[in-house]
Amino acid sequence: MRGVEPRLLSWPTTPAGLDAPARLRHLAAGALRTGRPLAIWREPGAGAPRLLAARSLEATYTGLPPALDERAPAGFAFFPFRDSDHNPALFLPADVQFDEAQPEAVRLSPAARDMAPNIAAWLALPTPPELAWHASPQPAPHVATEAEYMALVQRGVAAIEARTVGKVVSSRAARRPLPPGFDPLAAFRELCRQYERAFVSLVSVPGVGTWLGATPEVLAEVTADGTFCTMALAGTQPLLPGLRPQDAIWRQKEIEEQALVSRYIVNCFKQLRLREYQETGPRTTVAGELLHLRTDFEVDLKNVPAASSLGTDMLRLLHPTSAVGGMPRTAALEFLARHEGYDRAYYSGFLGPVNVAAPGVSRLFVNLRCLQLRADEAILYAGTGLTVDSDPQREWEETEYKMRTVAAVLT
């Protein structure tokens, strides 16, 4: 891991006639056209998106900083469900930054100072450019039929009954054609409009591919006031018309599923000998057209010995969380590798900015409710947490309405 980057330099954007959204589009198109890794995101509740681009593919590196604090380099993490040669764990350095809320400047890292002429040329284009996203070179994943997925659920329930695993999270992929003239940035903005409380992202990396998503789940956050946050999010039901979240009724299956995730997080704290934490919940929360059960956990880092490494240490223990894999983790991941039948790639991995908004501030989210863009189609992903009470038909239906979150931008 390289050392701390010096302060970013402000470089003014001067072309007349470009509003903030147009500037973001020109910068995104320029980065994509020249083969540079790119991330665009909008944090929950924020009014404007941010853009980050690495100066080159070679400038990206793998893994996270040893400590998620103000000493870490600024960048964007994009991690797969399971690291592999095909799906590497990436950290995109913040060589080029643009905040649509502060459109008067593009910020360049010292290492990217020579990109100023490129950026001037990107912004000088007379018409809004198209976005030529990076397509994955890997074959499209296997798409399970309804019968295949129900059989997977049955195998999962049988493994739980046999006590091979305590919980397992099965998932599947689906393929949808892209509509004519599909614009990924317009789809990103539509997700921002529909899901104000989600982390909305568009990530495109040469040789890796392009992913678009809107996720409700925080994996790990380190705030400006020195608080570490994570959450247990599990249990799903549709948000029916007229139903208030506080009036939702949960089955024993969802309550137990959420409790297992909460206990897993507490066990991670115990492994780090961390006893001082605040637990709030479970409560019903809204994520788009879905309801989930959520429990929040907070740790005051000022009261924790060796606090600088807590964020990274917790990430190593949490990912993949029991909410996306199962538990015990090793047994659940072995079950999925043997029976799930496809490569999840970056679905149910995690992503988010590190030291971009401010020194020492990181926000990493589980990559749920996402799709992968290919040349002429999108690959959608969804999963369900299985317990001994799981019904195969209901689990299939749950994946169907989970996929609708991002599939709506394909119509």
Side-chain angles (χ1 to χ4, degrees), residues 298-312:
E298 294 185 359
V299 178
D300 186 348
L301 297 178
K302 295 185 290 293
N303 299 327
V304 177
S308 63
S309 65
L310 177 67
T312 304

Side-chain angles (χ1 to χ4, degrees), residues 38-72:
L38 171 75
I40 302 173
W41 70 95
R42 198 283 322 267
E43 297 197 22
R50 290 175 176 264
L51 175 147
L52 177 153
R55 63 187 183 276
S56 67
L57 180 61
E58 292 72 25
T60 64
Y61 49 99
T62 60
L64 282 170
L68 295 181
D69 61 14
E70 66 276 359
R71 298 169 296 174

Side-chain angles (χ1 to χ4, degrees), residues 4-361:
V4 179
E5 290 286 343
R7 179 184 291 273
L8 293 172
L9 306 175
S10 289
W11 182 82
T13 61
T14 55
L18 289 183
D19 60 11
R23 290 184 179 190
L24 188 142
R25 170 173 283 277
H26 280 64
L27 291 169
L32 293 172
R33 190 171 59 252
T34 54
R36 291 180 166 91
L38 171 75
I40 302 173
W41 70 95
R42 198 283 322 267
E43 297 197 22
R50 290 175 176 264
L51 175 147
L52 177 153
R55 63 187 183 276
S56 67
L57 180 61
E58 292 72 25
T60 64
Y61 49 99
T62 60
L64 282 170
L68 295 181
D69 61 14
E70 66 276 359
R71 298 169 296 174
F76 191 93
F78 189 54
F79 275 50
F81 175 62
R82 303 191 78 171
D83 196 1
S84 69
D85 291 339
H86 297 315
N87 305 301
L90 297 174
F91 191 82
L92 281 57
D95 291 323
V96 180
Q97 290 190 50
F98 179 75
D99 184 350
E100 203 172 272
Q102 300 174 337
E104 65 281 354
V106 175
R107 294 193 297 165
L108 303 179
S109 71
R113 196 177 310 184
D114 61 353
M115 285 185 61
N118 301 79
I119 290 171
W122 299 348
L123 292 169
L125 291 176
T127 57
E130 294 184 359
L131 270 65
W133 60 86
H134 303 302
S136 171
Q138 303 303 321
H142 172 71
V143 173
T145 64
E146 181 175 354
E148 287 175 328
Y149 189 70
M150 290 174 64
L152 172 62
V153 171
Q154 290 171 337
R155 283 192 291 269
V157 172
I160 295 169
E161 290 175 336
R163 299 190 177 182
T164 304
V165 294
K167 172 192 172 182
V168 68
V169 181
S170 58
S171 73
R172 66 182 182 92
R175 301 169 73 170
R176 300 285 188 275
L178 291 180
F182 177 78
D183 186 323
L185 188 53
F188 167 86
R189 291 192 184 278
E190 179 60 20
L191 286 175
C192 290
R193 187 191 66 80
Q194 292 187 21
Y195 305 105
E196 294 182 359
R197 286 175 282 190
F199 179 80
V200 182
S201 61
L202 174 63
V203 180
S204 191
V205 179
V208 170
T210 300
W211 292 72
L212 176 69
T215 177
E217 184 171 353
V218 172
L219 177 63
E221 178 179 4
V222 180
T223 66
D225 64 357
T227 302
F228 172 85
C229 309
T230 188
M231 70 168 64
L233 190 75
T236 302
Q237 62 176 282
L239 176 58
L240 300 176
L243 175 66
R244 298 184 305 169
Q246 59 267 36
D247 296 331
I249 298 175
W250 294 94
R251 296 180 301 154
Q252 182 62 33
K253 183 261 183 185
E254 285 92 6
I255 294 171
E256 178 61 20
E257 180 186 349
Q258 204 276 340
L260 286 169
V261 179
S262 294
R263 289 199 292 268
Y264 180 80
I265 292 174
V266 171
N267 184 58
C268 290
F269 286 153
K270 290 180 178 178
Q271 291 186 58
L272 297 177
R273 299 181 179 179
L274 180 65
R275 296 180 177 85
E276 299 297 325
Y277 60 88
Q278 181 176 336
E279 180 177 349
T280 306
R283 60 186 176 85
T284 302
T285 186
V286 179
E289 298 176 357
L290 302 177
L291 297 177
H292 302 288
L293 282 170
R294 169 175 165 175
T295 301
D296 293 292
F297 297 86
E298 294 185 359
V299 178
D300 186 348
L301 297 178
K302 295 185 290 293
N303 299 327
V304 177
S308 63
S309 65
L310 177 67
T312 304
D313 291 341
M314 279 296 294
L315 278 171
R316 293 193 181 104
L317 292 173
L318 286 173
H319 178 68
T321 72
S322 60
V324 299
M327 58 189 302
R329 179 161 70 170
T330 299
L333 294 181
E334 287 177 352
F335 175 90
L336 294 174
R338 190 178 311 117
H339 298 295
E340 199 165 42
Y342 82 106
D343 185 353
R344 292 188 184 185
Y346 292 87
Y347 163 65
S348 66
F350 67 87
L351 74 171
V354 174
N355 280 358
V356 173
V361 175

